[in-house]
Amino acid sequence: MHTDVVTDVLIVGSGPAGASAALALSTYGVRNMVVTRYASLADTPRAHITNQRTMEVLRDLGVEEDALAKATPQHLMGNTTFCTSLAGEELGRVRSWGNEPLVQAAHELASPTVMCDIPQHLMEPVLVDAAIARGTVFRHSTVYKSFTQDADGVTVTVEDRVRGDEYTIRAKYLIGADGGRSQVAEDAGLPMGGQMGVAGSINIVFDADLSKYTAHRPSTLYWVLAPGATVGGIGAGLVRCVRPWTEWLIVWGYDVTAGAPDLTTEYAESVVRQLIGDDEIPVTVKSSSAWTVNEMYAETYSSGRVFCAGDAVHRHPPSNGLGSNTSIQDSYNLAWKLKLVLDGTAGPRLLDTYTAERAPVGRQIVTRANKSIGETAPVFEALDGLTPQTPEQLWANIAARKDATEAAAKQRARLRDAIAHKVYEFNAHGVDLNQRYSGGSSTAVVPDGTPDPGFARDPELYHQPSSRPGAKLPHAWITSGTRTVSTLDTVGKGRFTLLTGIGGEVWLRAARAQSLDIATVVIGPGQEYEDPYGDWARLSEVSDAGALLVRPDGYVAFRHESAAEDAAEVLARALGRILGRD
């Protein structure tokens, strides 16, 4: 066995979780190494919806523009269509992914970023290339075999698939980002809730120019209600746009109890033809693969010096587009904590807050994604399409909605309502942005003693900004000279930031008195930053002389409504809790 390779953090897996962990760590100056069993990065589209919170992460890590350059823009994502086939009858549409006018306004108010559609095979190179450029050591064709850990670090055995030999890598910490069949999570003994393999799906990637059926109703997703569409999978046949309007991915279900069908080219083409509904358009099938719908989440994300992120700890269908988003956000949460513990700024207890903060989010998104599958059933029910019947009967039911009868009018209303309810999958702005970390479970959040008002509106549909400790810092446009910047642009960059206003000089002195390097931001007339629209004065929820201490991941860690005579002591106590030093 070869001599040990040594690094600070070893990452197993190069998908969204592993690649973003590497990028964040290298951005923060932490030595890290990525190993992946594969000879290349993702070669199929896989994950694709990229929400505003993830774009904020990419913005802070300096790759937002690179991602947008590869992505399908938001305005081409949003006419989610329900039909009998692309060439067949249209049953209805949902304005989706922030393209409904009121939701679009909410998006613009919530963040300086825009969501987009960037398939995983285009996203991974953006993350990995930037990580390598900043110092990540990357090894393809390297298989994780096992680990042992002790008080000082983790020794990982890997196999080089090119040479065929094994060697060990010694790291202070190990991140398992090795997907839904994570060997690292299994070896770490992470307890899981839920179950695997609740339904079966097939992905078929193909090329075809479908402009005539899609360009006039541009969308990321086209849902096909056809005989057999309710079997397994995600509740209906799905035609997903990879690149407008020539690259596509179909998701089709199969009976998981009977096993996956033989994925021949002929079988794949027959499914493609059924969902397109036009046998004349040339089609080239590029790949097909079977997978299972899972409903599983880890209750603990770490064991000693071993941490897991992404699909390794939350396994669910692609509904709501939450997978890669949550994976990237997991790694972003963990990376700054590892950095501060490795450089001695924080105690190891800070790492306990990773599970405390992210496990509830993982459980929530697994539940939400699977619930969205169930919310497809009413669309079929409106057409009496769930009862076993011949295809001819389903087509007759669909045609009956056009009749000038009371029964048909009720059917049309049921169908409209069922399609409109899919807003919980396609416009769940609150699911994307309302994630809050509890000071009751995470020591990296300092409660300020004020009662939690909860959410005034549906927390899944509507984002509600807050400066409460444990909430993401609210976005507001402020100015600095001739520049207009977001409040989110003043924080991050791997550091803590203290925001205050006129009269908050005591907090500035308190920040300078700490052993931790804290950036400071003063917002007010004549200050470094000004609030010409008055938005920050409303969203900050503290007085001008108050203060917000924001963590490197953009979350509020500490809040004080006004000035304090003992500000240095108050801030020191808060940091002691946050950094695990008290």
Side-chain angles (χ1 to χ4, degrees), residues 73 107 130 172 188 191 275 322 567:
H107 275 235
K172 294 174 181 173
L275 270 63
L322 297 169

Side-chain angles (χ1 to χ4, degrees), residues 43-48 118-121 205 240 242 248-249 287:
D43 57 3
T44 55
R46 302 183 209 173
H48 60 118
I118 175 167
Q120 189 168 333
H121 68 300
V205 181
R240 175 189 137 196
V242 177
W248 301 88
L249 184 152
S287 68

Side-chain angles (χ1 to χ4, degrees), residues 24 46 57 65 69 78 91 102 112 174 199 203 228 251 297-298 336 356 364 386 403 466 468 474 515 517 543:
R46 302 183 209 173
V57 172
E65 293 301 323
L91 303 172
L102 293 177
L174 169 64
N203 280 3
V251 183
Y297 46 84
W336 69 268
Q364 176 200 7
L386 291 178
D403 295 341
S466 174
R468 287 184 60 78
S515 58
D517 182 24
S543 70

Side-chain angles (χ1 to χ4, degrees), residues 103-152:
V103 179
Q104 184 176 30
H107 275 235
E108 292 185 6
L109 290 169
S111 175
T113 67
V114 293
M115 71 180 306
C116 62
D117 186 305
I118 175 167
Q120 189 168 333
H121 68 300
L122 301 179
M123 173 71 90
E124 283 185 16
V126 169
L127 302 175
V128 170
D129 288 352
I132 292 172
R134 298 176 195 180
T136 294
V137 177
F138 197 96
R139 291 292 179 266
H140 284 292
S141 301
T142 303
V143 181
Y144 162 84
K145 305 293 285 188
S146 63
F147 75 80
T148 59
Q149 63 173 315
D150 51 52
D152 301 314

Side-chain angles (χ1 to χ4, degrees), residues 170-349:
R170 179 68 174 172
K172 294 174 181 173
Y173 294 97
L174 169 64
I175 298 176
D178 48 338
R181 297 182 179 87
S182 173
Q183 188 63 46
V184 177
E186 183 174 332
D187 291 349
L190 300 187
M192 296 277 182
Q195 65 181 111
M196 297 281 279
V198 297
S201 282
I202 299 162
N203 280 3
I204 302 169
V205 181
F206 67 99
D207 290 340
D209 185 352
L210 301 181
S211 302
K212 64 187 291 187
Y213 299 122
T214 57
H216 65 287
R217 50 183 180 183
S219 184
T220 287
L221 304 175
Y222 300 84
W223 294 81
V224 179
L225 278 67
T230 57
V231 176
I234 53 176
L238 173 63
V239 183
R240 175 189 137 196
C241 180
V242 177
R243 303 299 286 172
W245 306 110
T246 57
E247 295 181 42
W248 301 88
L249 184 152
I250 273 176
V251 183
W252 186 247
Y254 68 88
D255 183 354
V256 73
T257 61
D262 186 7
L263 299 180
T264 63
T265 300
E266 292 73 22
Y267 173 83
E269 286 184 354
S270 71
V271 174
V272 170
R273 292 291 181 195
Q274 179 181 352
L275 270 63
I276 293 176
D278 182 343
D279 291 341
E280 302 302 317
I281 287 182
V283 169
T284 302
V285 173
K286 298 164 73 174
S287 68
S288 57
S289 57
W291 52 280
T292 59
V293 174
N294 304 313
E295 187 170 359
M296 182 168 279
Y297 46 84
E299 296 164 359
T300 302
Y301 280 18
S302 66
S303 175
R305 290 176 171 264
V306 179
F307 298 82
C308 286
D311 288 356
V313 284
H314 36 79
R315 304 164 190 179
H316 54 89
S319 314
N320 286 78
L322 297 169
S324 62
N325 290 291
T326 309
S327 300
I328 289 170
Q329 293 163 37
D330 285 345
S331 295
Y332 188 59
N333 180 285
L334 178 60
W336 69 268
K337 296 172 181 178
L338 284 171
K339 189 263 185 189
L340 294 183
V341 172
L342 282 165
D343 69 14
T345 300
R349 195 179 70 192

